Amino acid sequence: MQALYAQLLVGLINGSFYALLSLGLAVIFGMLNIINFAHGALYMMGAFVAYFLLNLGGINYWWALLIAPVIVGIFGMILERTMLQWLAGLDHLYGLLLTFGIALIVQGVFQNYFGSSGLPYSIPDQLKGGVNLGFMFLPIYRGWVVIFSLVVCLATWFLIEKTQLGAYLRAATENPTLVRAFGINVPRMITLTYGLGVGLAALAGVLSAPINQVRPLMGADLIIVVFAVVVIGGMGSIMGSIITGFALGVIEGLTKYFYPEASNTVVFVLMVVVLLVKPTGLTGRAA
Amino acid sequence: MSALTDDTLPVTPRAMRDEMIVFAVMAVLLAVVPFTGIYPFFVMQALCFALLACAFNLLIGYGGLLSFGHAMFLGTAGYVSAHALKVWGLPPELGIVAGTAAAALLGLVTGFISIKRQGIYFSMITLALSQLLYFLYLQAPFTHGEDGIQGIPQGHLFGIFDLSKPTVLYYVVLAGFLGGFLLIYRTINSPFGEVLKAIRENEPRAISLGYKTDQYKMLAYILSGTLAGFAGSLKVFVAQNASLTDVHWSMSGEIVLMTLVGGLGTIFGPVVGAFVIIAMQQYLAGFGQWVTVIQGVIFVACVLLFRRGLVGELAHLLRRSL
């Protein structure tokens, strides 16, 4: 049973990353109509920024949680201003191709300087150790990742669904021209939205640094799984992304325990099943 | 949704004549390669990728469907052909048939799963499906995991042509490429191709005209996958191995890049793009990961500055369809 709970926890952690990343993809897709292929690369950048902050600037994990998403978010906003904005009105596919190119550049540069091996990032002192819950041993850091991710996801949901700013955002997603006519600066909102989505990816990167090590290709395979998550859950609803992300993480964790050979593929297999049963995905909106 | 190619010229007798002339020039140039001292291995490899890119282009350039998983056809056909030749000991022609048939079957299955979703979702689904296959091949015993299938016997095609001789192999690969190219060209200019273009331009309208667009897209997808598989089977004889590289997502990305560089929706673009990218990889092989960076830069530059690609820009300049 110990092993089962341990895999469930790993599943919840992976689910946290799926949720944070698919949430960012959904927010970006809503405003920019772009599937951000660079999301995995920016997730990786988040982890690397945390690594640099610690090893070059002596800035600890807690500050990195705040600073890394801001730095990567600003990098993302520069990308949006200099490149992505020129794609408005073109076929969606060009956004995918452009961000795929950006991902290749970012990953290639990091791979060139840091190879493919992982760099260690130690768990902050306050979160070291673990507690015995009776039925399992819970490493504190892992519990922290799950709870903190959940809080960030819900905060993002609240920001978009329940605040004035979020209302503008949702309105601009539906009809940018009309929102613009009300005197709201839509292009700036688009830039900030991209920054927000990218910042969430970077945050996930910082969270994963002590668990998965810091590697140039850490986001490359992850982003494909997240795409499958997005296909399953659809990008229409924020809460849908969060729930699908966590749920698929847990299912993957269970697979690791019951049938480890399929743990790499289970999310893709589920995607196939969902598409066969319901071609429009779980949320049901036609593409 | 705005069209991928903004200036589609109608097919006129003059355009057909132009294309035939360019095709003849291309065929002659390729036919004299063995007499020029150019390393034939390089050209053979480029020809396989050129056919692959043409097959991919049939789907995106004429059907408007961006498959981000076309490496799965290349890799699957490669593995099946390699296995058939090495383990079952089949002759080359049957090895090619086996690989191509496997790709066709894969196209049927994955097409059934993915074709109902449009645009961006279709791309994500094909990418995820190819990743699924990647992991399956990583674990399946017959693919030999990280090592791949190596030392594949080339044999005698139809019992006559000795494929271990580079010149013979070259002409066989060239014949395969030209055959595949002509098949795609014929498809594009057939009534079927015209319907595909109509679907690309405006799918709801095509539906309202009574076309069952899903069936047309499905057929185009299977045809594209089959031809990509054919290219993969040919490549087995050139490289004499089948490995995981051919199923990896980065390979799918390279196929997209070749077509984009040459020109989406142009007839000769994918061929030019394949030669450019393969040549670039050859010359920059010593630069390690910078090759990936350069590929990324080319992607960005193509999308932002040269959406028509090399051949597309040329055709636009000459006001011809190429």
Side-chain angles (χ1 to χ4, degrees):
Chain A
M1 282 315 267
Q2 280 281 341
L4 174 61
Y5 289 124
Q7 290 303 349
L8 264 180
L9 183 63
V10 171
L12 274 174
I13 289 172
N14 284 335
S16 310
F17 300 146
Y18 297 161
L20 282 170
L21 290 172
S22 62
L23 186 62
L25 280 183
V27 173
I28 291 171
F29 185 72
M31 279 299 274
L32 284 85
N33 269 326
I34 279 175
I35 280 289
N36 188 30
F37 217 128
H39 224 59
L42 295 163
Y43 158 86
M44 175 272 289
M45 267 183 89
F48 264 98
V49 171
Y51 177 83
F52 292 141
L53 286 174
L54 184 68
N55 290 290
L56 302 179
I59 295 164
N60 69 19
Y61 173 83
W62 301 102
W63 282 105
L65 268 186
L66 183 69
I67 298 172
V70 171
I71 291 178
V72 179
I74 289 171
F75 178 71
M77 288 193 268
I78 294 171
L79 291 180
E80 197 280 328
R81 283 285 86 191
T82 52
M83 298 187 221
L84 295 177
Q85 66 153 329
W86 303 108
L87 298 184
L90 288 175
D91 195 296
H92 294 358
L93 302 178
Y94 285 116
L96 189 76
L97 297 178
L98 179 64
T99 50
F100 180 71
I102 293 172
L104 286 184
I105 296 173
V106 172
Q107 279 163 359
V109 167
F110 276 86
Q111 246 187 313
N112 207 53
Y113 289 110
F114 300 96
S116 293
S117 55
L119 300 168
Y121 187 94
S122 59
I123 295 173
D125 291 335
Q126 296 87 338
L127 298 174
K128 276 189 176 139
V131 283
N132 198 336
L133 297 178
F135 58 93
M136 72 174 291
F137 180 79
L138 174 72
I140 293 178
Y141 184 75
R142 295 185 172 229
W144 152 259
V145 169
V146 174
I147 292 169
F148 183 68
S149 306
L150 197 58
V151 170
V152 171
C153 283
L154 293 177
T156 311
W157 171 81
F158 186 82
L159 174 74
I160 290 169
E161 299 290 334
K162 300 290 170 197
T163 64
Q164 185 69 47
L165 184 68
Y168 289 148
L169 206 91
R170 280 176 287 131
T173 305
E174 291 293 326
N175 191 337
T177 322
L178 197 63
V179 173
R180 220 167 165 168
F182 285 134
I184 293 163
N185 189 338
V186 173
R188 186 187 296 160
M189 255 171 76
I190 291 177
T191 309
L192 288 173
T193 308
Y194 192 73
L196 171 73
V198 163
L200 286 171
L203 184 71
V206 181
L207 287 172
S208 89
I211 299 177
N212 299 323
Q213 294 198 316
V214 181
R215 289 181 302 116
L217 290 181
M218 63 194 285
D221 287 337
L222 183 66
I223 190 64
I224 303 179
V225 182
V226 173
F227 279 176
V229 172
V230 163
V231 170
I232 294 171
M235 285 184 290
S237 115
I238 299 292
M239 199 46 109
S241 300
I242 301 173
I243 295 170
T244 322
F246 275 98
L248 286 170
V250 169
I251 293 172
E252 200 183 51
L254 289 175
T255 316
K256 272 201 188 103
Y257 179 76
F258 289 105
Y259 189 58
E261 289 82 1
S263 59
N264 283 330
T265 47
V266 64
V267 175
F268 302 121
V269 173
L270 276 173
M271 180 193 80
V272 170
V273 173
V274 168
L275 286 172
L276 289 178
V277 177
K278 204 158 177 288
T280 50
L282 288 182
T283 47
R285 273 202 209 173
Chain B
M1 193 188 273
S2 67
L4 282 168
T5 45
D6 40 13
D7 44 7
T8 317
L9 297 171
V11 187
T12 59
R14 198 185 78 157
M16 289 279 263
R17 198 198 63 207
D18 288 351
E19 286 157 9
M20 277 306 160
I21 293 171
V22 177
F23 177 79
V25 171
M26 177 178 80
V28 169
L29 280 179
L30 288 170
V32 298
V33 161
F35 306 103
T36 57
I38 300 172
Y39 188 42
F41 180 79
F42 160 76
V43 185
M44 283 192 275
Q45 210 192 357
L47 283 175
C48 293
F49 279 104
L51 180 55
L52 183 61
C54 286
F56 168 80
N57 184 46
L58 172 65
L59 201 54
I60 185 169
Y62 299 93
L65 292 165
L66 171 61
S67 157
F68 228 105
H70 246 50
M72 65 182 159
F73 298 112
L74 177 76
T76 300
Y79 274 132
V80 171
S81 285
H83 190 76
L85 293 167
K86 194 178 177 189
V87 181
W88 297 341
L90 292 185
E93 59 276 10
L94 290 182
I96 294 174
V97 169
T100 311
L105 187 67
L106 181 68
L108 184 71
V109 174
T110 55
F112 185 72
I113 295 165
S114 60
I115 211 77
K116 289 195 188 102
R117 297 296 290 270
Q118 264 117 55
I120 217 78
Y121 280 97
F122 176 80
S123 306
M124 290 195 285
I125 294 166
T126 46
L127 176 61
L129 288 172
S130 75
Q131 187 78 347
L132 172 61
L133 278 168
Y134 175 84
F135 282 119
L136 289 181
Y137 290 140
L138 183 65
Q139 291 169 347
F142 88 98
T143 62
H144 300 284
E146 304 275 0
D147 298 334
I149 305 178
Q150 292 173 353
I152 295 154
Q154 289 165 310
H156 288 68
L157 186 72
F158 303 121
I160 310 168
F161 303 109
D162 183 3
L163 296 182
S164 60
K165 288 188 178 143
T167 312
V168 177
L169 181 60
Y170 178 82
Y171 283 108
V172 168
V173 170
L174 179 60
F177 163 75
L178 293 176
F181 185 90
L182 284 177
L183 180 64
I184 292 171
Y185 182 73
R186 184 72 197 90
T187 308
I188 292 167
N189 291 308
S190 68
F192 172 75
E194 296 298 328
V195 177
L196 271 188
K197 284 175 226 168
I199 295 171
R200 179 193 68 193
E201 297 300 327
N202 193 338
E203 184 164 357
R205 192 157 181 186
I207 294 171
S208 80
L209 288 171
Y211 291 108
K212 294 197 168 62
T213 58
D214 276 357
Q215 288 177 8
Y216 280 89
K217 289 195 287 186
M218 180 79 176
L219 202 56
Y221 180 78
I222 296 174
L223 186 61
S224 170
T226 309
L227 283 165
F230 179 56
S233 291
L234 285 180
K235 189 171 159 295
V236 163
F237 293 92
V238 179
Q240 282 186 272
N241 70 31
S243 70
L244 282 171
T245 331
D246 290 348
V247 214
H248 197 248
W249 57 261
S250 52
M251 180 61 78
S252 295
E254 276 175 28
I255 301 168
V256 180
L257 183 61
M258 288 169 186
T259 315
L260 186 64
V261 166
L264 297 176
T266 61
I267 294 164
F268 296 96
V271 182
V272 174
F275 273 84
V276 168
I277 298 297
I278 296 289
M280 191 194 82
Q281 286 174 343
Q282 204 86 12
Y283 286 115
L284 301 179
F287 289 87
Q289 284 307 320
W290 289 116
V291 177
T292 317
V293 178
I294 294 166
Q295 288 187 341
V297 171
I298 298 175
F299 254 109
V300 171
C302 279
V303 172
L304 290 178
L305 305 169
F306 307 102
R307 267 187 293 278
R308 292 194 191 98
L310 292 169
V311 172
E313 291 289 346
L314 184 70
H316 185 70
L317 218 65
L318 300 175
R319 298 175 164 279
R320 298 282 168 90
S321 96
L322 288 172

